[in-house]
Amino acid sequence: MASFFTSRLFFVSLVLVIIAATLPLYVSGYVLGLLTVAFYFGVFAMAWDLLFGFAGEVNFGPTFLIGVGAYTAGILNAQFGWSVYLCIVLGASASVIAGLVLALPALRVRGPYFGLTTLVAVLMLQNFIVVFADLTGGEIGLTIPDVITINAGANYWIALGFMTISAAILYGLSQSPVGLVLQASGQDPVQAGALGFNIVKHKLAAFIVSAFFSGLSGALLVFYFGTASVGTVVDVAVGVNVIVSAVLGGRRTVLGAALGAIFLIVAGEFLRPTGELATFIVSAVALLVVLFFPGGFLGAALSREARS
Amino acid sequence: MRAFQILIDGFAISALYALGATGFTLIFGVSGVLNLSHGAIMVAAAVAAWAAASVLNVGTYAGALIGVGVALLTAFATYFAVVKPIQDSRRIPNEEKEIFVLTGTLLWGIMIQELIAYFFTNNAKTVLPIVEGVVDVLGVRTPKNEIFTAIVCCLVIALLWLLVNRTRTGKAVLAASMNPRGVTLLGLELTNIYIVVWAIYGILAGIAGVLLGMFLGVSSYSVGPLTASAFSIVVLGGLGSVSGSLIAAFVVGYLETATAYLVSPAYRTIPALLLLVFVMYIRPQGLLGRR
């Protein structure tokens, strides 16, 4: 852990964060808005990587955790008028509870079965949102009366600060003994168990941490957008973006996942002139990275550093 | 009356689910590949059949054939451009190949979906049915197309059963699913067996896609839900177990149809999802799965 503070990765991250923090001084509100969303997605992707990259479990349900956090915060604000900050805290808490409920059956199974259990959770949440339309706004979405602030620069700084703190905590966790046990259990669960580690307990902990950050980020995003809808926080397509971000940036790197998310959202925007082909191009690029640079952006950069 | 209606409609949709899931489970059983571009291949088949019959006016039979052909080509492309490179890659550790196949086929499926949306728009397309008209079955007015769909699905599944259990090729495929290394020791090329399996898969997915296009219609939005429902049925039945997914397809098909008629179409998929969670909880390997 101590070696991290002298590593090149730490200095590069520090410089990037400082440069990013000065952006509101000279770029347009449009760019800031784009990056604000990208930063929240960065947290989604990092939280997902903790579970996938380290514990080796493909969680198809990141949007279940994100959606529970987002909708809980949104509903409490829109239907009951509770204050924004209380709603954010309760949103993150609801996500942790939902994560616990999902983890109990999901962690008993592995691989594709785990993937499906988590996918079903997303589909159920979608169905319930549509069925309880009075409360949730249904397919149209929920309009949120309050926002944290309407200042684009302030919103951007909140998102950047939130992402940086989350990254520090999640990265620290991934390098801690807990992270190492997770990694071991992902690679060889039988052996890790034989060494006396309680794998299920570690995975449960990873799931809960993942749920906390996903839910918190989802709740913050709702108060940035001013709306909560299936398409923005629950849809399987959003989950696909989270998964692609983490793989693209480099699994098991945590920080890479955030880079992947920022790349994905910014690239999607750059490709907007190509119209409907934008998603096609982004997916094709991601597929090429998966095939030729399976370590992802950060994985490739780090292995080069290790070699030199 | 309503019971008969559920019985008949449920049978057609269940048979279609069964056919759609069979190829998916076959590939998993033989090579351990979960192909998340499954829905995209089915939709590609349906859209090709629609375009050939409705735009190029080649007729319904030729249209259907073109649809199946497109699915076959897409299945081969999936194997050679995505699955095989990942399986052969030296840069991806063996224990992570499964996850990379999932991610790779997922991205591939999105690419196909976006291309379909680009060239054919997002609008729903209904493939011209091969048989038209309505007939009275047990007092229920039933489209002939629905009966045709059910019959074709059952026939194709029966043919597949014969192919796997009664032919030399089928036996090689079965052997590969049980012990890949043993098959290579017998002097059979594993890659050739996989190519045969992907060909069978392509044809199955193509037929299922074209029938779906005639029966319910498809659009590029169908890609995700189709993959998800095939995935659910296959896992409910037990991964790799063809008979398990047949049972699961009928359970899910009837549960959805009964819910739609007796409760409300809005709640259609919820009981099936609840059942899935319940089965995962008490029997994680699925109905007929091996662990």
Side-chain angles (χ1 to χ4, degrees):
Chain A
M1 191 62 210
S3 65
F4 172 69
F5 292 103
T6 55
S7 73
R8 198 181 292 177
L9 184 62
F10 173 70
F11 285 108
V12 174
S13 320
L14 195 66
V15 171
L16 281 179
V17 169
I18 291 170
I19 295 173
T22 62
L23 280 183
L25 304 175
Y26 43 80
V27 303
S28 69
Y30 165 74
V31 176
L32 290 182
L34 188 64
L35 286 174
T36 305
V37 176
F39 291 163
Y40 287 124
F41 261 84
V43 178
F44 294 159
M46 287 189 294
W48 188 80
D49 191 38
L50 188 70
L51 205 62
F52 159 75
F54 290 90
E57 297 286 15
V58 200
N59 172 13
F60 282 123
T63 53
F64 172 72
L65 303 171
I66 298 166
V68 168
Y71 265 94
T72 305
I75 289 169
L76 291 178
N77 185 258
Q79 311 288 3
F80 303 99
W82 292 8
S83 93
V84 173
Y85 300 100
L86 185 62
C87 290
I88 290 171
V89 172
L90 290 176
S93 317
S95 187
V96 167
I97 294 166
L100 205 60
V101 171
L102 175 62
L104 291 177
L107 284 179
R108 296 174 70 236
V109 292
R110 277 192 59 82
Y113 295 98
F114 176 84
L116 184 81
T117 312
T118 50
L119 178 67
V120 167
V122 179
L123 299 177
M124 298 264 269
L125 183 63
Q126 275 183 16
N127 273 307
F128 282 119
I129 288 170
V130 174
V131 169
F132 296 102
D134 293 344
L135 198 63
T136 61
E139 279 161 346
I140 301 156
L142 189 66
T143 309
I144 314 291
D146 293 333
V147 289
I148 300 174
T149 164
I150 51 160
N151 181 322
N155 266 318
Y156 172 87
W157 273 317
I158 291 171
L160 178 66
F162 172 61
M163 183 183 70
T164 310
I165 295 168
S166 308
I169 297 173
L170 289 169
Y171 185 82
L173 205 63
S174 76
Q175 301 297 308
S176 73
V178 177
L180 294 178
V181 173
L182 280 177
Q183 199 163 343
S185 65
Q187 284 173 359
D188 192 338
V190 178
Q191 206 163 14
L195 288 171
F197 296 114
N198 189 337
I199 299 169
V200 174
K201 218 166 77 184
H202 279 88
K203 279 190 184 170
L204 195 62
F207 215 110
I208 289 169
V209 173
S210 188
F212 174 77
F213 282 99
S214 305
L216 189 59
S217 190
L220 286 166
L221 193 60
V222 158
F223 289 108
Y224 172 68
F225 279 145
T227 165
S229 65
V230 171
T232 51
V233 287
V234 188
D235 204 54
V236 175
V238 178
V240 168
N241 271 343
V242 170
I243 295 168
V244 171
S245 299
V247 174
L248 204 58
R251 71 207 185 287
R252 261 190 223 148
T253 58
V254 179
L255 303 181
L259 285 183
I262 296 168
F263 169 82
L264 211 61
I265 289 193
V266 173
E269 200 62 26
F270 264 105
L271 290 169
R272 188 162 280 203
T274 60
E276 285 153 0
L277 279 180
T279 313
F280 173 80
I281 297 170
V282 171
S283 310
V285 170
L287 182 61
L288 291 177
V289 170
V290 166
L291 290 178
F292 298 106
F293 303 99
F297 298 150
L298 199 63
L302 286 176
S303 68
R304 199 159 300 143
E305 188 182 345
R307 246 181 278 134
S308 61
Chain B
M1 180 73 178
R2 183 180 270 181
F4 284 138
Q5 184 141 33
I6 293 173
L7 215 60
I8 294 165
D9 285 352
F11 187 83
I13 196 80
S14 301
L16 195 51
Y17 278 172
L19 183 62
T22 302
F24 188 84
T25 194
L26 187 70
I27 293 193
F28 181 83
V30 175
S31 59
V33 169
L34 271 181
N35 172 27
L36 292 188
S37 58
H38 181 64
I41 294 177
M42 283 174 72
V43 172
V47 170
W50 168 84
S54 307
V55 183
L56 303 175
N57 284 319
V58 297
T60 46
Y61 287 98
L65 216 57
I66 290 173
V68 176
V70 165
L72 184 62
L73 290 178
T74 319
F76 275 141
T78 311
Y79 179 61
F80 285 110
V82 184
V83 176
K84 197 168 188 303
I86 291 174
Q87 284 176 338
D88 293 347
S89 169
R90 288 205 196 125
R91 276 179 273 193
I92 305 171
N94 273 328
E95 68 271 13
E96 288 183 5
K97 285 196 169 149
E98 190 180 301
I99 280 169
F100 272 86
V101 168
L102 287 178
T103 321
T105 51
L106 186 67
L107 288 166
W108 176 249
I110 297 170
M111 286 165 64
I112 298 173
Q113 173 187 344
E114 293 299 316
L115 280 185
I116 292 170
Y118 182 74
F119 288 109
F120 299 99
T121 75
N122 284 327
N123 300 336
K125 281 145 199 86
T126 308
V127 181
L128 288 176
I130 287 176
V131 287
E132 281 178 283
V134 181
V135 30
D136 191 280
V137 185
L138 302 169
V140 179
R141 280 170 58 84
T142 311
K144 284 182 185 164
N145 180 34
E146 190 176 317
I147 298 167
F148 174 78
T149 303
I151 293 173
V152 173
C153 289
C154 293
L155 271 180
V156 173
I157 293 170
L159 272 178
L160 178 74
W161 188 86
L162 284 178
L163 179 78
V164 171
N165 290 295
R166 292 278 183 273
T167 65
R168 209 182 134 73
T169 319
K171 283 176 181 157
V173 168
L174 263 187
S177 76
M178 292 171 189
N179 188 345
R181 193 166 292 173
V183 169
T184 51
L185 287 175
L186 290 173
L188 290 165
E189 191 64 56
L190 212 48
T191 306
N192 289 342
I193 293 178
Y194 290 161
I195 291 173
V196 170
V197 173
W198 277 88
I200 297 172
Y201 164 72
I203 293 169
L204 290 175
I207 297 172
V210 172
L211 289 175
L212 187 77
M214 290 177 184
F215 189 31
L216 299 172
V218 296
S219 77
S220 62
Y221 293 126
S222 320
V223 167
L226 281 176
T227 306
S229 59
F231 195 18
S232 318
I233 287 167
V234 166
V235 173
L236 182 61
L239 276 171
S241 163
V242 173
S243 36
S245 51
L246 292 185
I247 297 171
F250 277 86
V251 170
V252 171
Y254 270 113
L255 206 52
E256 286 192 6
T257 313
T259 313
Y261 276 115
L262 301 178
V263 188
S264 147
Y267 294 84
R268 187 184 178 96
T269 56
I270 293 179
L273 291 175
L274 283 172
L275 175 76
L276 196 57
V277 173
F278 181 68
V279 171
M280 288 285 92
Y281 202 78
I282 55 165
R283 207 179 146 76
Q285 71 272 37
L287 296 175
L288 297 185
R290 301 164 290 190
R291 289 208 94 173

